[in-house]
Amino acid sequence: MMQRKLALLVGIGALTVLLMLRWEHVMTLVNLMSSKRPSAEPELSKDTITPIPGSRHLMVSAFKDHRLGGAIRVISIICRQELQPLYCVLCANANAKADAKADEALNQCAFSPAKVDVHSESFGFPFVTSDVLCMSPALQQATHVSITANPYANLTFLSIQNQEVKESFKYNFTVCISNLFGEYNNALQFAQTMEVYKLIGVQRVVIYNTSCGPDIEKILKYYRKEGMLEVVPWPIDKFLTPSTGWKYDLHHGDIHYYGQLTTLNECIYRYMYQSKYLLLNDIDEIIMPYKHANLEKLMGTLQQQHPNAGVFRIENHIFPKTQFDDSGRFRLPRWRSVPGVNILEHVYREPDRKHVFNPTKLLINPRSVEQTSVHSTLKQFGLVFNVPFDVCRIIHVRVPLQGQLSKDQLFVDKKLWEFEKLLIPSIDRALNESGVL
């Protein structure tokens, strides 16, 4: 009996010590925040990836989520084996309110414990896309946020985006391409894909760039100048060892596919109030309507038929780059010097494999999605609709998945040839004006 009492007392004592240490940590942060009276705007991160002090975690960007009562969502990369208490530090900028005095605004800072929502999809990697949520209503006018595990650290702040809900959008269709890496230099396919997207109604493309080759660099510069492309620097390799594959057991590394999941989620929030719809797919894929002339007509029909759907899953179909059109119709001599794949030559499509899951990519209303993976959403507010492949499917020109099949066992699919009259001159113009040709 005495041993039980002694053990109970020891346990209570240990718990008391832990609570006191935790309280001391919190009060230290309170005192530090209340004692700091910044004389200038908070130090803003100049990078797209920022370390979280006192941890191995990283923060990327911050957004006000009006669907969650104005909570601040910080898109982050969390080491799930090293979860620890994190804190939000919210500050209001001098321009937060037109009638606020500068001294008052710059001294409006509040802290609160953060809620860490680790995404359920990680493919086995230790660093996982996560949302760090700041739920405190203490500072509704906050314009900057920082996440910290160390109250003594110098803080770097992120600007809080999506401050206002918008009902009209600058773009109707935006493509989010997760990332370029490994000195990617497939210039011909990229230029062809961009021009195809223009013809079916895409006004904006967003791409996250870790590294690319010299010809792709020229193409990116051309489309940025034209206004269609936003390139987001993505130096993930400066912070982690990224994997070049999707499965940890096979490819190893700290994080899946150069942080593909993080960039896709970041793009959703970046363009939540800029674009009516987002297409989430890879650089060698084209989400193509087959029963409608363009994406606008496709989505007009789909939304009318499925008004409560906010996520549309599009089937992926492989066009092997090892099989060529026999006519040589688009084997243009002037394109031979351009590195990359000529997608117009590859008109043979692999059949569906029986009893094998056919992966999908996504066409979404971003205001209906909270978290996404690569082939499906993880959390959404609306319904999910699987689009029939004869209505819309992905043209994916890549290495074959069914390499044993002969050309006679493949389907002929010349959808891209329908755009020939407008497409060829626009590709030539892009290659010439970019300096690739």
Side-chain angles (χ1 to χ4, degrees):
M1 183 65 71
M2 290 296 295
Q3 289 180 339
R4 288 185 180 179
K5 289 183 177 180
L6 182 60
L8 181 60
L9 289 173
V10 170
I12 293 173
L15 180 61
T16 302
V17 170
L18 287 173
L19 290 173
M20 290 176 64
L21 288 173
R22 178 71 179 271
W23 178 250
E24 181 182 357
H25 182 78
V26 173
M27 291 309 297
T28 300
L29 186 58
V30 172
N31 293 332
L32 284 172
M33 289 305 303
S34 61
S35 65
K36 288 183 177 181
R37 297 184 61 82
S39 57
E41 290 187 6
E43 180 184 349
L44 286 177
S45 175
K46 298 180 177 63
D47 303 309
T48 49
I49 302 174
T50 305
I52 294 176
S55 76
R56 295 178 66 196
H57 316 313
L58 305 166
M59 57 182 180
V60 177
S61 51
F63 304 88
K64 179 173 274 192
D65 196 330
H66 302 275
R67 305 164 304 180
L68 299 182
I72 306 304
R73 182 188 301 272
V74 181
I75 307 294
S76 303
I77 299 171
I78 297 292
C79 180
R80 55 182 176 173
Q81 286 92 350
E82 299 182 19
L83 286 174
Q84 64 202 102
L86 296 177
Y87 299 92
C88 302
V89 182
L90 296 163
C91 287
N93 182 274
N95 297 320
K97 293 173 65 177
D99 58 350
K101 296 180 181 179
D103 184 64
E104 292 175 353
L106 289 174
N107 281 277
Q108 286 183 327
C109 288
F111 85 98
S112 64
K115 177 185 176 183
V116 180
D117 187 357
V118 177
H119 289 203
S120 58
E121 190 82 278
S122 69
F123 297 102
F125 290 89
F127 283 82
V128 186
T129 303
S130 305
D131 298 312
V132 178
L133 297 171
C134 305
M135 311 293 289
S136 173
L139 200 60
Q140 285 293 318
Q141 300 301 322
T143 57
H144 302 93
V145 62
S146 186
I147 306 299
T148 185
N150 179 8
Y152 297 98
N154 292 324
L155 301 179
T156 301
F157 285 81
L158 303 177
S159 177
I160 300 172
Q161 303 173 59
N162 295 352
Q163 292 282 356
E164 298 179 1
V165 175
K166 295 180 181 178
E167 301 295 336
S168 60
F169 311 104
K170 186 175 181 180
Y171 310 106
N172 284 328
F173 294 93
T174 295
V175 179
C176 295
I177 297 174
S178 53
N179 29 19
L180 296 178
F181 57 85
E183 300 298 322
Y184 181 87
N185 203 43
N186 190 347
L188 182 57
Q189 183 170 0
F190 184 67
Q192 290 176 335
T193 299
M194 291 287 284
E195 296 303 325
V196 169
Y197 270 132
K198 284 183 188 177
L199 294 176
I200 61 174
V202 170
Q203 296 103 1
R204 188 71 160 173
V205 174
V206 187
I207 197 160
Y208 293 75
N209 186 19
T210 301
S211 67
C212 64
D215 297 286
I216 282 289
E217 189 65 53
K218 292 177 183 178
I219 295 287
L220 295 180
K221 185 177 180 181
Y222 168 78
Y223 285 110
R224 288 175 65 185
K225 184 178 180 181
E226 189 186 56
M228 186 181 183
L229 180 68
E230 179 182 8
V231 179
V232 181
W234 187 247
I236 188 68
D237 52 347
K238 301 292 192 298
F239 301 91
L240 300 172
T241 301
S243 172
T244 56
W246 68 274
K247 193 173 183 181
Y248 180 70
D249 292 343
L250 294 176
H251 304 104
H252 306 291
D254 292 324
I255 190 168
H256 163 267
Y257 237 163
Y258 280 77
Q260 179 185 30
L261 295 172
T262 307
T263 56
L264 288 175
N265 281 274
E266 207 276 346
C267 194
I268 289 175
Y269 285 90
R270 179 181 287 255
Y271 276 82
M272 183 166 289
Y273 296 109
Q274 292 193 66
S275 190
K276 186 175 182 179
Y277 295 104
L278 297 179
L279 291 72
L280 310 182
N281 56 268
D282 291 342
I283 196 167
D284 57 356
E285 299 171 334
I286 300 174
I287 292 179
M288 175 62 68
Y290 272 71
K291 283 194 172 180
H292 302 80
N294 51 49
L295 290 168
E296 184 175 1
K297 291 181 178 179
L298 167 72
M299 291 311 298
T301 299
L302 291 179
Q303 289 283 206
Q304 184 178 27
Q305 294 173 346
H306 309 279
N308 296 321
V311 176
F312 299 86
R313 298 177 64 181
I314 315 295
E315 286 187 13
N316 187 22
H317 288 267
I318 305 299
F319 290 65
K321 66 179 183 179
T322 54
Q323 297 287 1
F324 293 81
D325 164 52
D326 293 329
S327 72
R329 178 176 174 177
F330 294 102
R331 200 169 299 148
L332 305 181
R334 60 186 178 275
W335 290 353
R336 290 176 184 171
S337 62
V338 181
V341 176
N342 182 354
I343 61 176
L344 294 173
E345 290 190 274
H346 305 291
V347 295
Y348 293 93
R349 172 169 52 84
E350 291 185 357
D352 283 344
R353 293 170 292 170
K354 293 182 179 180
H355 312 299
V356 175
F357 171 72
N358 184 20
T360 59
K361 291 298 173 67
L362 304 173
L363 202 166
I364 66 168
N365 170 353
R367 294 156 300 282
S368 293
V369 176
E370 187 173 354
Q371 296 176 359
T372 193
S373 183
V374 178
H375 304 295
S376 61
T377 51
L378 302 176
K379 291 183 180 181
Q380 70 279 329
F381 297 98
L383 300 179
V384 178
F385 177 69
N386 294 315
V387 180
F389 104 106
D390 62 327
V391 174
C392 179
R393 59 180 173 263
I394 292 173
I395 296 175
H396 189 183
V397 180
R398 51 153 289 167
V399 296
L401 287 183
Q402 303 176 65
Q404 77 281 2
L405 298 181
S406 67
K407 187 177 287 187
D408 293 338
Q409 294 173 292
L410 304 175
F411 295 100
V412 176
D413 187 335
K414 298 180 179 180
K415 179 65 178 179
L416 291 178
W417 288 15
E418 297 177 10
F419 304 96
E420 175 184 0
K421 187 176 180 180
L422 295 174
L423 184 59
I424 302 304
S426 67
I427 294 170
D428 284 339
R429 183 170 55 253
L431 295 176
N432 277 294
E433 293 186 13
S434 67
V436 173
L437 271 182

